[in-house]
Every structure is written in structure tokens, then in C-alpha cells.
Amino acid sequence: MNDERRRAAIRVIESLEKEGFEAYLVGGCVRDYVLKKTPQDYDVATSARPEQVEAIFAHTVPTGIKHGTVTVLQDQTSVEVTTFRIESDYQDHRRPGRVKFVSSLKQDLARRDFTINAMAQDRHGRIYDYFSGIEDLNDKKVRTVGNPVERFHEDPLRMVRAARFVAQFDFELDKQTELALLKCKQQCVYLSVERVTAELEKMWKARRASKGIGILFTCGLIYSLPPFNNWKIQDVPGPDQLAPMDWTDDRIIRWAYLLFCCGVSSDNAQSRLREFRLSNTDIAAITSCFRLGAEWKSLTETTAKRLLLTEGLTNVLKASGLAKLLRRLPADVFLDKQLQKWWDEMPVTQVRELDISGKELVEHCQQPAGPWVKKTLAYLLEKVALGQLPNQKNVLLKEGCYFGANHSQ
Ligand code: ATP
Ligand code: MG
């Protein structure tokens, strides 16, 4: 727990105090300290204004000056330093339009979402817990600071975050918080997809992701939450259907499993994923995992090698992971080892490893370039990979021209 990053954060606090300001560790890192877990990052809250923070430290980045946040680079790590603030002016239930700097730690802690996230710690280790965060940690409860209806109204993302913290720590929702969530769920329509996606990504890192996703369904949040809210989801998956999500910690497989639970078809997977504004690489990986995994077929050595050549080892392994969650495949690891072995056995797995290029093929076969070239190279790749042809230029040119002549359309 006494890691380098914590020491760097304490040094930042010392420097701020030396200049006469108050400064504390706050939020997730204090919660994780009490839980004896390693925090993602260390956040410091201070009475110093952003420009004062910038003046004190040699290396700073103005990460979110408008919201009072300056990143201090200290001892090869970075520490987010934010001026004590409250948020005001919640426009259309979106992010606060303005923040107001305040002078007390307590006010800063009061604007935080949940009691477990609203504690501070000074550099001597003393914990400031004005809202019974430690008690809620002991009781394994996620409870808002203050009136939950008001807090969810201010920022509906907190409802998704509540589900995420339940998943992260295997906690339960506090009763009042849960009732408020049922009451306010429709406010989720105002959220931006980007904020929802960011919380889902954090959900995939959680031990009990199924529990968090379960809350989104059973409390009905998902029907108001972009982009799910225009999917017309029919069936609510029960705990038994969601449980397999926790058998993996792979985010690609978890995304694919979520689509499955929402009743998305293979044909729609890609366009649904685009709605989350994920990267193209992620969309391709999840779509492939979904398509192959949801329709997993038993494999012989040859069909497996063909699949490995067209999809790549990583995609096939992810798909077999999904197939296991969907119980289309027994949950043993034997197949993964076998796939790896078949992959390693193949002398080539990519067109560029062949002893000929498309250009050479076109020149040698005296046939104008066209779609046949790609088709021929794919055919030759399979032949060489399956050990049916040697990877030798003269052999590949001869076989390629013969194949190309018959597949020139
Ligand atoms: P993690 O360990 O996953 O990073 P975290 O608690 O640090 O969890 P962050 O999203 O990094 O969560 O936010 C840092 C802190 O800022 C939280 O602990 C909480 O005090 C506060 N916070 C973040 N988002 C909100 C919000 N939407 N409303 C109120 N307070 C928030
Ligand atoms: Mg954090």
C-alpha cells in the first residue's frame, strides 16, 4: 500500500502545506486504502487555487483548469490536484456547467457521489469521514451523500456509477438509494453515450460485472440509457443468464456477452457497437468475437486452421471464450491449447509471409490485376499453411496462375 505513487502524492501534499494551504488525499484512493486495495490513481484536494498550484510546482499540466484540476508531475508519476469546489448549475441533467471554489474540505466532500467515495485522508494517515463512509464500507453499501433523488437528478450518471461500484466491490445498493434509482431512472436519457461507455469500461474491470449489469436491467435503467434506449430490448436476462459474465475478465468477451444478453443478432452487432463510439479496432474485435462465438461450431484440425487463417488466433480465442460463457463449448482449457498448437504448427499465417507477392503473380501469369489476385493469395496461403504446398516461389507461381485463370471473375 505504501507504493511509489502514494509517496509522490504525500510529497505533493507536503509542498502545498508548506505554502500554507490545506491538502488531502480524496475519493477512490482513500476508499481503496480502507479496503486495503491498490488504487487506480491518487487524487489530492486542496484549498489552493489552480494558479497557486501551478506556481508551487515545477512541472504541471492544466488538465481541467476550468474545473480546478491541475496535474502535478512528481517523482515520475502524476497526481491530480483539484481545488476544493462545489458544482452548480446542472443544465439539463448534464455535467455541471460551472464550478464554484469553496474553502472547506467538508463542502468538497459533500458534492461527491457516494459516502464510500467522500472521505479524505491527511498526510499522517488520519481519515476525515463526515458521511459515514467507513460504516458503509463495512456494511458493503453504496449510498449517496445526501438525498439520493436530488443527487441522481443533478447527475444521472451517478445511477450507473452506483451499479458499477456494486460490481467493483460486490456490494449492495442502500435501500433509499435503490428506491431513488427506481424513481429517477428515466433521467438517464439525458446522458451522453461517451460517459455511459466510460462507465461500462470500468464495469468490465469489476469482479462482479454481472451484478452491475443486473442492476441496469432489474432497476430498468437500461431502457432509458443511451444507446440501449432505442434498441427495444425485449427480455430481461435473469441472474443465471448474467452470471457467466463473471467467468472472464476479458473486456472484449464481456462486451460481446452484453450484446447477447440484450438480444442483439450477429447482423446487428457491428452497428450496435458503433453507437457506443468505441474505436474501430475494438468494434472489429468484439464483432468477430460475437459472430464466431455465438455460432460456435465444432472444429476439426482443418476447419480450425482455416478459421485461424481468416480470423487470427486472438479473435478465435476470444470467440471460444464467448462460446464457453454461452455453454456452446465445455468450460475446459483444452481447446485453447489445441488452437495455440495448431496456430504454431502452421508454417505461414499471413499472406506477406508467402514467397510471392501479388505483383509477381500478376507479372508471371500475364493476367491484368483484379480481385483474382487477392483470392489467389488467400488460396495459396491456405495451401501452404495446411502443408499442402511448399512455400517456394516457383511452385506458388505455377499453382497461383492455374488457380487464377479459373477464378478470374
Ligand atoms: P476508480 O477506482 O474506479 O477510479 P474512483 O472513485 O476514483 O474509482 P473516479 O470516477 O475516478 O472514481 O472519480 C474520482 C472521485 O470523484 C470519486 O471517488 C468521487 O468522489 C468523485 N466523483 C466522480 N464522478 C462523480 C460524479 N459523477 N458525481 C459526484 N462525484 C463524482
Ligand atoms: Mg479514480
Side-chain angles (χ1 to χ4, degrees), residues 40-41 43 202:
Q40 296 276 327
D41 38 43
D43 294 319
K202 290 194 171 184

Side-chain angles (χ1 to χ4, degrees), residues 61-320:
V61 184
T63 347
I65 281 280
K66 243 180 57 193
H67 294 95
T69 305
V70 174
T71 301
V72 175
L73 307 174
Q74 168 92 35
D75 307 333
Q76 278 87 50
T77 87
S78 59
V79 181
E80 299 242 306
V81 179
T82 306
T83 306
F84 294 156
R85 63 173 210 212
I86 51 172
E87 285 152 3
S88 55
D89 207 19
Y90 285 92
Q91 296 153 341
D92 298 339
H93 321 271
R94 282 165 192 265
R95 262 186 244 247
R98 255 182 291 150
V99 303
K100 193 169 144 224
F101 297 137
V102 291
S103 58
S104 90
L105 170 69
K106 189 171 175 188
Q107 278 176 293
D108 181 89
L109 295 176
R111 58 112 182 148
R112 292 171 185 273
D113 47 8
F114 305 108
T115 60
I116 57 172
N117 292 342
M119 294 183 278
Q121 187 174 32
D122 67 19
R123 66 188 169 87
H124 308 292
R126 188 177 154 198
I127 290 181
Y128 297 76
D129 177 19
Y130 300 107
F131 308 102
S132 310
I134 292 187
E135 195 182 318
D136 286 336
L137 279 181
N138 287 332
D139 292 348
K140 299 180 180 290
K141 283 267 152 23
V142 175
R143 179 206 310 269
T144 55
V145 174
N147 180 323
V149 173
E150 280 169 25
R151 302 312 308 281
F152 289 155
H153 210 78
E154 281 171 3
D155 181 3
L157 189 73
R158 290 173 188 153
M159 291 185 263
V160 186
R161 286 173 61 83
R164 194 255 287 183
F165 287 113
V166 164
Q168 199 163 322
F169 302 114
D170 200 357
F171 280 14
E172 304 296 332
L173 290 174
D174 151 73
K175 198 77 215 143
Q176 292 307 316
T177 301
E178 185 176 5
L179 289 174
L181 207 139
L182 291 168
K183 197 167 168 187
C184 302
K185 61 190 180 204
Q186 273 141 356
Q187 306 282 329
C188 284
V189 293
Y190 300 111
L191 291 171
S192 71
V193 168
E194 285 80 357
R195 293 184 84 199
V196 175
T197 301
E199 278 305 321
L200 285 175
E201 288 290 6
K202 290 194 171 184
M203 193 88 86
W204 304 147
K205 294 197 184 123
R207 203 153 49 95
R208 297 291 316 275
S210 72
K211 214 169 162 183
I213 297 295
I215 290 176
L216 300 188
F217 276 106
T218 51
C219 292
L221 288 184
I222 209 155
Y223 307 104
S224 300
L225 199 64
F228 303 96
N229 57 352
N230 62 30
W231 290 13
K232 302 197 173 55
I233 297 172
Q234 300 289 338
D235 303 316
V236 178
D240 286 352
Q241 198 190 338
L242 290 171
M245 195 175 262
D246 300 343
W247 302 352
T248 178
D249 56 7
D250 187 297
R251 59 181 279 278
I252 299 292
I253 302 176
R254 283 183 159 184
W255 270 114
Y257 196 76
L258 174 67
L259 291 192
F260 186 83
C261 291
C262 292
V264 172
S265 69
S266 284
D267 293 343
N268 288 340
Q270 193 182 42
S271 60
R272 288 303 188 213
L273 287 165
R274 282 215 188 91
E275 296 177 42
F276 289 100
R277 315 244 206 287
L278 291 164
S279 72
N280 288 339
T281 319
D282 280 343
I283 293 174
I286 303 163
T287 310
S288 154
C289 172
F290 186 88
R291 184 171 44 82
L292 298 174
E295 289 157 26
W296 189 267
K297 307 225 167 41
S298 62
L299 296 168
T300 64
E301 180 175 343
T302 308
T303 54
K305 285 184 174 173
R306 285 203 180 110
L307 190 67
L308 287 166
L309 288 174
T310 52
E311 304 289 336
L313 177 66
T314 312
N315 284 345
V316 177
L317 286 176
K318 302 244 182 232
S320 87

